[in-house]
Every structure is written in C-alpha cells, then in structure tokens.
Amino acid sequence: MALHLPKPRSRKSVQQAVGLDGLEVSVSRAATAGVEKSKSVKSGGLAGLTSTVSVAQIRKEIGNDGLRQASIDAGRRPPSDRTLRRWAQQGRIPHADVAERAQRRAAIERLGGIGEVARRIGRSSSAVSRYRSGETNELRADAKKKLKNVKADEVMRRAGVLRADGTPKRATIRVKGGVSVRNGSEDGYDYRVRTLNFANSDSPFTAEESRELAAALANDDHARVVALLERHATMDYPENKGFDLYSDDFGFHFDSIESVHIDWT
C-alpha cells in the first residue's frame, strides 16, 4: 500500500542581517554567495574590488620574511623557501590564522607601513603593530572604522574606481538572478525577473551610491552589496510599481544572484 506523505513546507532561503539607512534588513545568503562568485569573473567589473589579494601578490609585497613572520605570529613554525614557493604556486596558505596575519601585514604595507597607518587612524604605532601580528584581534571601534575606510579607498584606487581627484566613478549595473517582490503581506507575491539592467533606470546609481557600493565590494561585504542593489531596485528601477519604502516586507528582494556586471564610468 502506497504511503502518502504531505509535501514538505517551502522554506525561505537562509537570511543575513544588514544595517542600511538605519534599518536592519535581511538578505539571502544565496544572493550574497552569488555576488562573491561574480567577483572572481574579470569581465564582471568586480574582480579588483576586494581586500583579499593573492598569495603571490602578498609574497611580492612583504617577501618571504614577512610570510615567515606571519607564521611565527600565529604560533607556527616558519615555512621554508620551498614551502613558500608552493603556497604561491597553489594560490593558498593552508592555515587560516597565518593567511589572516599575512593579509593584514600586506595591507598595512600597501597603506604606507605602521607609522602611516597609525597616523591615519589616530592610534599609536604599537597598537597597529599588535593588530598586524594578531596580538590584538580588533582595533577600537573608531580606529576600526577608520582603518576599514582607509583600506576601502586604497582598494578602490587600485581597482580604478576612483578618479585621480578621489571622486568615484558611476556604476552602471546589470544583475541576473531571481527576485521576489514583497508588498507587505505575510507571503508577499513572487515576480521572477531574470535580468535587472539598472542602466535603464529612471534614476541611475548616483556617485554617492556608486561609492557606497564600491566600498562594500572593497570590504568584501557581499551582503551589503545585495542590500544596496535591492534598495535601488525597489526605489528607482523602471518596473517599480509604486514602492516608496525598502524593508523586509516591501520591495525587490533577491532570492539568488547568478551574475553581476558593473561598468565604472
């Protein structure tokens, strides 16, 4: 005799909270993962916007001695030249704690060294040195925010998103994925869209929005990128049918993102 079981209830995709415009909004982790994946595609206009650089680049910036010191700071045995060559060839450092310290050391080197970073974030050189080594896991809140902004500006300049005078280029964006449109009811209503071309928006991304988006990409804050795209789609996209509020209950929300392409002009 056949066993008839009820169909499983549909579940919302796993969400991640993001602070935006004074509100806490939730974005799909599947969409967030889609942005992260898109950043590895050079043609997508996102590849250079990341705070994480390759092992080969780290080795070039801080040398073998810097990588060895990162290992020592992590409490590990300093690697040999042969091991360091293998890390660079494979494009990975097998120990997460060493990789984190190496990334910090390289980032501080790119920003001009310990003294320059200390000056720019208003902390002592010893505090920055402790942070670089991992002795201090995080800086104080104000210094942490300043360092985050300084690092983002450096990444944006390196990626060519900022002009010579420091003003941001404008982002022209195309997003491919699945979208749910919510209208305030408990379930909302689904409205599947394969591609959102923000170049056709009645209100394209402003310079301020473009900088905000670029900074989120530069900080590897992929969830914030999704929230910024959702807010713009909700408030400014031509197919907007009257939304004047972006929140968890209203507006365009990505269930998934397959690709993101940005032209910076």
Side-chain angles (χ1 to χ4, degrees), residues 39-238:
K39 290 182 73 172
S40 66
V41 181
K42 292 183 179 180
S43 62
L46 292 78
L49 284 166
T50 177
S51 63
T52 303
V53 301
S54 69
V55 179
Q57 181 64 27
I58 291 175
R59 190 182 180 206
K60 180 179 179 180
E61 292 172 342
I62 66 176
N64 287 349
D65 288 343
L67 281 167
R68 287 195 185 93
Q69 188 59 53
S71 296
I72 294 170
D73 290 339
R76 296 182 180 275
R77 183 178 177 178
S80 65
D81 285 349
R82 181 180 179 182
T83 297
L84 293 175
R85 286 195 299 271
R86 185 172 69 251
W87 287 1
Q89 290 168 356
Q90 294 177 348
R92 61 182 291 271
I93 296 175
H95 311 294
D97 50 357
V98 177
E100 170 64 21
R101 285 163 174 78
Q103 289 284 352
R104 287 188 186 187
R105 187 171 287 271
I108 290 172
E109 187 67 24
R110 285 194 299 273
L111 292 171
I114 286 177
E116 177 62 15
V117 171
R119 182 189 69 80
R120 295 175 73 175
I121 68 174
R123 296 288 285 144
S124 67
S125 294
S126 61
V128 176
S129 179
R130 289 194 300 271
Y131 170 75
R132 184 184 67 174
S133 69
E135 181 182 343
T136 301
N137 191 43
E138 293 289 355
L139 295 165
R140 291 179 181 175
D142 57 338
K144 179 181 178 181
K145 183 177 180 180
K146 288 178 181 178
L147 180 59
K148 183 178 180 180
N149 292 338
V150 168
K151 288 170 66 178
D153 282 348
E154 187 274 332
V155 171
M156 287 189 284
R157 286 193 179 90
R158 180 157 40 91
V161 171
L162 296 183
R163 300 185 179 90
D165 62 359
T167 58
K169 296 180 179 179
R170 289 179 183 265
T172 302
I173 306 164
R174 294 185 302 280
V175 185
K176 184 178 181 181
V179 179
S180 294
V181 180
R182 303 174 192 167
N183 64 356
S185 66
E186 182 177 351
D187 296 326
Y189 62 96
D190 285 341
Y191 177 38
R192 294 290 174 175
V193 179
R194 295 306 298 168
T195 302
L196 299 180
N197 188 345
F198 293 125
N200 294 331
S201 174
D202 293 336
S203 302
F205 266 64
T206 64
E208 292 75 18
E209 285 179 307
S210 298
R211 175 185 278 274
E212 192 175 6
L213 184 73
L217 288 164
N219 287 317
D220 298 314
D221 192 347
H222 308 132
R224 185 172 183 82
V225 173
V226 174
L228 292 170
L229 294 173
E230 289 181 349
R231 181 183 67 185
H232 189 84
T234 297
M235 307 297 289
D236 300 306
Y237 196 60

